[in-house]
Amino acid sequence: SQQGEEDPQALSIQEGENATMNCSYKTSINNLQWYRQNSGRGLVHLILIRSNEREKHSGRLRVTLDTSKKSSSLLITASRAADTASYFCATDNPILTSGTYKYIFGTGTRLKVLA
Amino acid sequence: GAGVSQSPSNKVTEKGKDVELRCDPISGHTALYWYRQSLGQGLEFLIYFQGNSAPDKSGLPSDRFSAERTGGSVSTLTIQRTQQEDSAVYLCASSLESEGSGNTIYFGEGSWLTVV
């Protein structure tokens, strides 16, 4: 299965510190997305990085992609208590019968930022 | 509505009963997903609808699970003869579809199913 795996599974840091989460996947991708989930409910899109990009920034978020290692990392700088959530990567998977793509999500990292 | 709407938010059912979970995607979104998430776990892909193409059902865990999407809009996930291991949050999501991938996926708030 293409399901990505995030590590660490759980991360606890102090407010103001940086948080780094990693995602590994198995097969070739066109792009990779990161999502955030609060309290086990709906996920919210954070950022997308394409296979021809190596790094992307959005506010306090920095995403890197290494297609040779089939891995991505999400860095949250100067973390805040409000960043406490679960973070998931999602990779596109081709559906050969239709020529479309579906997204498969990883196992997630549970981040806790202590005030 | 402006977002993906799911109902019911919470459902408690007795083992062996059938349940139906409903998803109303964002208007105009041709792609629709169902995922399952057990407590503290990752998202498990169940089924994917895209326009008029045949749905990708490769994630459905057993033949007790089925889903329909009527008129390219509303979708219903049906679980027959529910078992306790079916207890989870069922998340629906939708996205626009353009050539290739790379569309943002918008999630509903989920339906929490408890089988007792």
Side-chain angles (χ1 to χ4, degrees):
Chain A
S1 127
Q2 168 67 322
Q3 184 176 39
E5 290 187 6
E6 281 92 334
D7 82 273
Q9 290 187 345
L11 179 61
S12 185
I13 60 173
Q14 294 293 324
E15 207 166 28
E17 294 180 339
N18 295 341
T20 299
M21 289 158 271
N22 303 296
C23 167
S24 60
Y25 56 91
K26 295 178 182 175
T27 63
S28 297
I29 60 171
N30 295 300
N31 58 76
L32 181 147
Q33 303 190 38
W34 283 91
Y35 285 77
R36 166 189 167 133
Q37 183 182 40
N38 293 337
S39 304
R41 288 296 191 175
L43 281 72
V44 176
H45 176 260
L46 294 176
I47 195 166
L48 176 150
I49 186 165
R50 300 192 183 279
S51 60
N52 61 354
E53 297 174 313
R54 291 296 168 258
E55 188 171 311
K56 204 161 180 182
H57 297 253
S58 176
R60 294 185 295 113
L61 304 181
R62 174 182 167 240
V63 169
T64 63
L65 179 64
D66 187 335
T67 53
S68 67
K69 295 181 179 178
K70 294 186 170 59
S71 68
S72 174
S73 67
L74 171 66
L75 168 68
I76 304 174
T77 60
S79 63
R80 306 166 181 167
D83 295 328
T84 295
S86 291
Y87 293 83
F88 295 86
C89 66
T91 52
D92 62 336
N93 281 237
I95 301 172
L96 300 178
T97 53
S98 64
T100 58
Y101 294 81
K102 66 187 181 192
Y103 277 90
I104 302 297
F105 284 76
T107 51
T109 293
R110 294 186 299 281
L111 173 66
K112 187 168 185 178
V113 181
L114 304 170
Chain B
V4 178
S5 178
Q6 291 189 246
S7 62
S9 297
N10 292 282
K11 174 75 175 178
V12 179
T13 190
E14 292 181 351
K15 179 181 172 182
K17 300 280 190 183
D18 297 352
V19 296
E20 284 190 353
L21 307 176
R22 176 189 167 104
C23 174
D24 203 339
I26 294 173
S27 178
H29 280 193
T30 57
L32 187 146
Y33 297 80
W34 283 99
Y35 295 92
R36 177 170 72 174
Q37 186 178 32
S38 301
L39 188 62
Q41 302 298 310
L43 272 68
E44 177 187 3
F45 168 79
L46 297 179
I47 189 168
Y48 171 67
F49 295 90
Q50 172 51 256
N52 295 322
S53 300
D56 182 335
K57 304 179 182 179
S58 60
L60 294 178
S62 77
D63 59 8
R64 295 187 296 105
F65 289 73
S66 63
E68 289 185 343
R69 188 176 185 191
T70 54
S73 181
V74 172
S75 177
T76 301
L77 177 69
T78 301
I79 309 172
Q80 295 179 311
R81 305 181 302 282
T82 52
Q83 304 294 312
Q84 288 185 328
E85 60 263 29
D86 299 335
S87 296
V89 175
Y90 289 82
L91 292 163
C92 178
S94 70
S95 72
L96 287 168
E97 179 60 25
S98 57
E99 193 171 321
S101 64
N103 298 294
T104 298
I105 303 170
Y106 296 86
F107 281 81
E109 289 299 296
S111 291
W112 184 272
L113 175 65
T114 303
V115 182
V116 297

